[in-house]
Amino acid sequence: MAKRDYYDVLGVAKGASADEIKKGYRTKAKELHPDRNIDKPEAESQFKEANEAYEVLKDPEKKAAYDRYGHAAFEGGMGGGGGRPGGGFGGQQGDFGSAFSDVFDDLFGDFMGGQRGGNGGGRRAARGSDLRYNLQISLEDAFAGLQKTINVPTSVACDGCKGTGAEGGSEPSTCPTCSGMGKVRAQQGFFTVERTCPTCSGLGQIIQNPCNSCGGAGRVEKDRSLAVNIPAGVETGTRIRLAGEGEAGMRGGPAGDLYIFIDVVVHELFERDGNNLFCRVPVSMSAAALGGSIEVPTIDGGRGRVQIPAGSQSGRQMRLRSKGMPALRGGGPGDMFIELAVETPVNLTGRQKELLREFEELSSENNPESSSFFSSVKSFWDSMKG
Ligand SMILES: [Zn+2]
Ligand SMILES: [Zn+2]
């Protein structure tokens, strides 16, 4: 099959400028990239074709050779055979590859998830996982803060091998496949493909003589008990991070973190809104009417006293300043709000009924407006009964 013209491959005109060539290549490369064309196998060869064309046309020397001789300028050149015609470019496989990877980083860094970044990272011991621990506490504990010992099932560095995974003081040796890099490069046509080393799974080291206690992993399963400090003011959803208290890393890698997720149990008396607390307090009808003071429990375990003004209606709120929850991050404590729930008396004795009737009569005399309202309502109902 005849080779396609490089300019055609990139979709640009013959005399295209360097910028146009670059633009044409970017467009093609994005369109044809194998990661985006998993179900289109022909895209891969087209992608390679576009790369090949760009490699030539972006280089002024190679471009000049191509413009002059066409594909004949490179016959046998790329594969490392002999017989290069007159053009004086030394297209060695090595620097060819690196030139290509520059473009590649630039172009695909965004959707390759940045995994090509971090060159020179070399050997990477695997970091341990983060752990999540759910801790339920009472509102009282959230108010006061607490010290708690928790048991965390996790894995810890193996004692037998000090976390290295190698038996009896022997040392892990550098992986011969990747020379300790953890990655291997393979040449595929014009690509240099980098992947995790299959021999050492990216660790860069292999263990000839694995530790008997941990089988070479460098860590063992174990329950750890940890004393944690829960600060005052936490609420449901608060996360406490204990750096380095998660799972141990593989073969001496850094440990993950432990996150404690706080769940504050619903309280039977107090409802919380931020740092403020609310509670409903029942008061008798007469206390609400006459006024007085009532005692209420507070979250610190003590009692507070609030004045009820005479004539308070149900739903009225009173505030006890600074009797709410402490602020987790600076600032003063919240307040406590007491909402009155005026109770209508039930199961009245004869005497109580008598007094209330008397009270009702006196109320009508006292308050002619309401009495005229009641009488008009009464006459309305009487007229309905007809
Ligand atoms: Zn071990
Ligand atoms: Zn390796």
Side-chain angles (χ1 to χ4, degrees):
M1 194 178 95
K3 248 174 130 65
R4 284 176 69 202
D5 177 76
Y6 284 155
Y7 292 97
D8 285 350
V9 168
L10 297 184
V12 296
K14 272 255 181 311
S17 70
D19 264 1
E20 286 165 338
I21 289 168
K22 190 171 184 182
K23 236 178 113 185
Y25 169 65
R26 282 171 175 256
T27 309
K28 288 284 172 200
K30 281 192 172 160
E31 177 188 319
L32 297 169
H33 192 272
D35 287 356
R36 288 192 171 172
N37 292 280
I38 292 158
D39 46 356
K40 241 178 94 186
E42 71 272 21
E44 192 181 336
S45 59
Q46 289 169 353
F47 184 56
K48 286 178 186 170
E49 195 183 20
N51 282 312
E52 184 188 325
Y54 183 60
E55 277 308 311
V56 170
L57 296 184
K58 78 168 187 184
D59 181 306
E61 263 184 302
K62 294 179 191 171
K63 181 172 180 288
Y66 177 73
D67 288 346
R68 194 156 168 200
Y69 302 108
H71 289 300
F74 311 103
E75 267 160 22
M78 299 296 188
R84 241 171 252 154
F89 61 88
Q92 286 166 14
Q93 202 78 0
D95 61 37
F96 187 82
S98 72
F100 173 68
S101 73
D102 287 348
V103 179
F104 208 86
D105 283 347
D106 169 37
L107 265 180
F108 299 112
D110 55 342
F111 68 86
M112 300 277 288
Q115 57 191 9
R116 317 194 125 243
N119 271 345
R123 169 187 124 81
R124 236 179 278 160
R127 180 180 180 273
S129 309
D130 291 337
L131 295 176
R132 173 184 175 144
Y133 187 95
N134 297 327
L135 182 62
Q136 271 202 342
I137 62 172
S138 65
L139 189 64
E140 282 85 354
D141 285 341
F143 172 81
L146 81 157
Q147 272 271 346
K148 194 166 171 67
T149 303
I150 59 173
N151 275 316
V152 188
T154 182
S155 51
V156 297
C158 170
D159 274 343
C161 60
K162 304 270 179 292
T164 62
E167 177 69 20
S170 64
E171 294 275 308
S173 53
T174 302
C175 171
T177 310
C178 62
S179 317
M181 293 302 289
K183 293 173 205 154
V184 286
R185 286 169 166 246
Q187 200 77 25
Q188 279 185 5
F190 296 111
F191 294 94
T192 304
V193 179
E194 206 178 63
R195 52 168 86 84
T196 302
C197 172
T199 310
C200 62
S201 309
L203 293 170
Q205 295 187 323
I206 53 165
I207 292 171
Q208 257 116 15
N209 193 6
C211 166
N212 281 329
S213 317
C214 64
R219 55 184 189 181
V220 288
E221 301 296 313
K222 202 175 176 183
D223 268 15
R224 269 167 73 221
S225 77
L226 266 178
V228 294
N229 203 5
I230 312 296
V234 292
E235 57 191 319
T236 294
T238 302
R239 267 184 357 173
I240 297 168
R241 176 171 167 261
L242 300 179
E245 299 288 4
E247 214 176 44
M250 284 283 276
R251 296 187 195 165
D257 298 332
L258 172 67
Y259 289 91
I260 296 178
F261 281 65
I262 300 293
D263 179 24
V264 179
V265 182
V266 173
H267 196 274
E268 56 176 1
L269 191 58
F270 297 108
E271 209 174 297
R272 181 180 186 172
D273 181 17
N275 292 334
N276 292 331
L277 292 175
F278 292 83
C279 70
R280 274 167 66 86
V281 175
V283 289
S284 69
M285 192 178 73
S286 48
L290 299 172
S293 81
I294 52 168
E295 224 183 33
V296 290
T298 49
I299 189 65
D300 58 9
R303 300 187 82 76
R305 189 159 275 282
V306 282
Q307 289 296 323
I308 301 175
S312 291
Q313 303 294 324
S314 206
R316 178 166 190 160
Q317 282 192 352
M318 253 81 62
R319 186 203 299 245
L320 273 180
R321 287 200 184 272
S322 304
K323 285 292 183 184
M325 300 294 284
L328 187 57
R329 288 179 191 82
D335 298 329
M336 173 173 161
F337 292 88
I338 295 118
E339 187 180 303
L340 299 184
V342 177
E343 290 187 321
T344 305
V346 292
N347 301 325
L348 298 173
T349 64
R351 174 72 181 132
Q352 282 173 318
K353 285 181 190 165
E354 198 181 310
L355 283 171
L356 277 178
R357 281 196 199 97
E358 196 180 329
F359 169 78
E360 187 62 30
E361 275 161 32
L362 283 169
S363 300
S364 324
E365 284 170 25
N366 231 354
N367 202 338
E369 241 177 66
S370 95
S371 97
S372 71
F373 171 73
F374 276 115
S375 56
S376 59
V377 171
K378 193 167 183 297
S379 53
F380 171 76
W381 283 111
D382 288 347
S383 70
M384 293 296 281
K385 273 182 244 165

